[in-house]
Amino acid sequence: PHKMLTGRRNRFDSLRQWKGISGFTKRSESEFDCFGAGHSSTSISAVQGMSVGKQLTGKKRNNCIAVIGDGAITGGMAYEAMNCAGYLNTRMLVILNENGQVSLPTGTPSAAGVIPAGALSGYTSQLLSSRPFLDARSVAKSVSRLLPEDLQRITRKIDEFGRGFVSGEEGAVLFEELGFYYIGPIDGHDLENLIPILQNVRDTDGKKPVLLHVKTEKGYGYPPALRASDRMHGVAKFNVDTGVQQKRKSGPPSYTKVFADTLCELARQDPGVVGITAAMPGGTGMDIFGKFFPKRTFDVGIAEQHAVTFAAGVAGEG
C-alpha cells in the first residue's frame, strides 16, 4: 500500500523485477522512502538517528515516526534502540502495531525447539495483551489541562495508576522504564479515534519519545486474508474475489533451493556443519536443512548480530 499511495501504482507490476520497483523502501526510488530497509527491527534505530540529525541541522519540523510490528519488536536491535531512547531523550513517535502476526514463524523443528525463538517473544505477546483504555484516558487528560497545577499532578498520578492497572504491571511500565511515554492500546482500525491522537502527538512541543500501541487485525476488510492468518503476507498474482494465487510457472530452481540442497550435501559429508538462521528459515532454505538435520539447525530469532557471533562461538569449538 505504501508504494501505491506514493505515486508508484502504475509501476506496481514491475515489483521485484529487473529495473522495476524494489520490494522494500529505497531512497533512490522515491522521496517518500526516507530510509532503505531489507529485513526488520531497524525502524526505531533509523528514526532515532533521523531525529538527532534534524536537531543537529536545526530543522524546525521534527516529526519522526517509526512503525514496528509485534513480531519485529522482539528483535534485539529494537530493544537496543529503545534502551538508547531514554538516554538521548529525542523527539520521536514509535507506533507499535500489534496484530499477532510474524512474517515467518521462528523456532522451526530443530535443536532450538518449535516454540517462538527467545523468551522476549513470548513475554512481549503477554505484555501487549491488554484491554483498550485510551478513550477514558484521553478525556481525563484533556480535562486535566484546564485544572490548576496541583490538580494536574493528582490527575497524572491517577493516569499512571490506570495505565499500570489495565496493562498489567509489566504493560506500560516496560516501555516507560526505557524512556518512552506510552499511549494505548487503541483500535488501529478506528480512524475517528486514531487520527486525532496522531495529530495531538504531532502538535505537542515535548521532546520525550512516545510509543503509541495500536491493535489491528491482519487482512481486516478482506475475507480471504482474514481466513489465511498464516499466509498472504506477500503474494503473487491472485484472484481478488477468491484470494486464490496463481501458480508460478516451472523454471530453474531458486537460489535458496540450490543453497539449501548444497548445504545439506555438505552436512552429510561433514558432521561439523550446522545451520543458523535469524527468523528466516523459509527465506534462507534453513527449513529444508532443518528437516534433515534438526539437531544441527538453530533459529535464534530476529537477531542477526547474535546469529553471527553465535556462529563464531560454535565454530570456535570445532
Side-chain angles (χ1 to χ4, degrees):
H2 166 73
K3 301 218 171 195
M4 290 185 177
L5 294 172
T6 52
R8 286 166 280 186
R9 181 172 184 147
N10 62 341
R11 297 182 58 206
F12 208 72
D13 58 351
S14 69
L15 183 70
R16 296 177 184 267
Q17 296 181 22
W18 173 247
K19 293 186 178 181
I21 59 176
S22 171
F24 299 95
T25 54
K26 189 175 182 180
R27 295 188 67 182
S28 62
E29 187 178 289
S30 170
E31 63 178 323
F32 298 105
D33 289 0
C34 59
F35 196 77
H39 194 195
S40 69
S41 307
T42 61
S43 61
I44 302 177
S45 293
V47 162
Q48 198 171 102
M50 291 175 183
S51 180
V52 170
K54 288 180 182 291
Q55 286 182 343
L56 293 175
T57 54
K59 294 180 180 178
K60 293 183 179 180
R61 285 181 62 87
N62 190 355
N63 291 316
C64 297
I65 302 172
V67 180
I68 190 167
D70 51 357
I73 204 169
T74 64
M77 187 175 181
Y79 283 89
E80 291 175 11
M82 288 192 290
N83 182 55
C84 190
Y87 164 68
L88 293 178
N89 201 33
T90 52
R91 176 183 173 85
M92 67 174 180
L93 170 64
V94 175
I95 299 176
L96 170 57
N97 177 34
E98 180 199 350
N99 65 0
Q101 295 291 323
V102 181
S103 61
L104 288 170
T106 62
T108 54
S110 68
V114 294
I115 60 174
L120 276 178
S121 180
Y123 173 72
T124 305
S125 297
Q126 293 179 6
L127 181 152
L128 298 178
S129 60
S130 51
R131 297 171 299 184
F133 186 62
L134 189 73
D135 288 340
R137 251 189 93 217
S138 295
V139 173
K141 290 190 74 66
S142 297
V143 172
S144 75
R145 295 192 187 98
L146 305 176
L147 300 174
E149 180 60 28
D150 288 345
L151 290 180
Q152 287 190 38
R153 282 196 293 269
I154 294 173
T155 57
R156 280 197 295 269
K157 290 295 183 182
I158 294 173
D159 176 61
E160 290 170 4
F161 172 78
R163 276 182 294 151
F165 179 77
V166 173
S167 299
E169 293 183 1
E170 302 90 350
V173 175
L174 170 64
F175 298 112
E176 294 195 333
E177 288 297 324
L178 289 170
F180 285 85
Y181 181 74
Y182 174 89
I183 301 173
I186 66 171
D187 182 357
H189 300 299
D190 182 3
L191 297 183
E192 291 185 1
N193 192 29
L194 177 61
I195 292 175
I197 291 171
L198 291 171
Q199 291 172 334
N200 288 337
V201 173
R202 178 197 64 191
D203 296 338
T204 58
D205 295 325
K207 293 184 178 179
K208 188 179 180 71
V210 176
L211 188 138
L212 174 61
H213 174 189
V214 302
K215 288 190 172 186
T216 61
E217 186 175 9
K218 172 187 167 289
Y220 184 81
Y222 184 52
L226 287 172
R227 291 192 296 268
S229 62
D230 60 337
R231 300 187 303 278
M232 299 191 78
H233 299 287
V235 296
K237 293 181 180 179
F238 65 97
N239 183 298
V240 176
D241 294 328
T242 64
V244 176
Q245 297 185 48
Q246 294 183 8
K247 292 184 178 180
R248 299 179 186 275
K249 296 180 180 179
S250 60
S254 67
Y255 178 87
T256 300
K257 182 67 164 57
V258 172
F259 171 78
D261 290 345
T262 303
L263 189 62
C264 288
E265 183 58 34
L266 292 173
R268 292 186 184 97
Q269 301 173 17
D270 184 353
V273 173
V274 301
I276 302 169
T277 178
M280 291 287 289
T284 60
M286 212 54 63
D287 55 340
I288 299 174
F289 184 85
K291 291 177 181 178
F292 294 101
F293 306 98
K295 292 185 178 180
R296 286 194 265 165
T297 306
F298 300 88
D299 186 338
V300 299
I302 306 174
E304 288 89 346
Q305 181 178 342
H306 166 61
V308 173
T309 309
F310 173 75
V314 174
E317 293 301 315

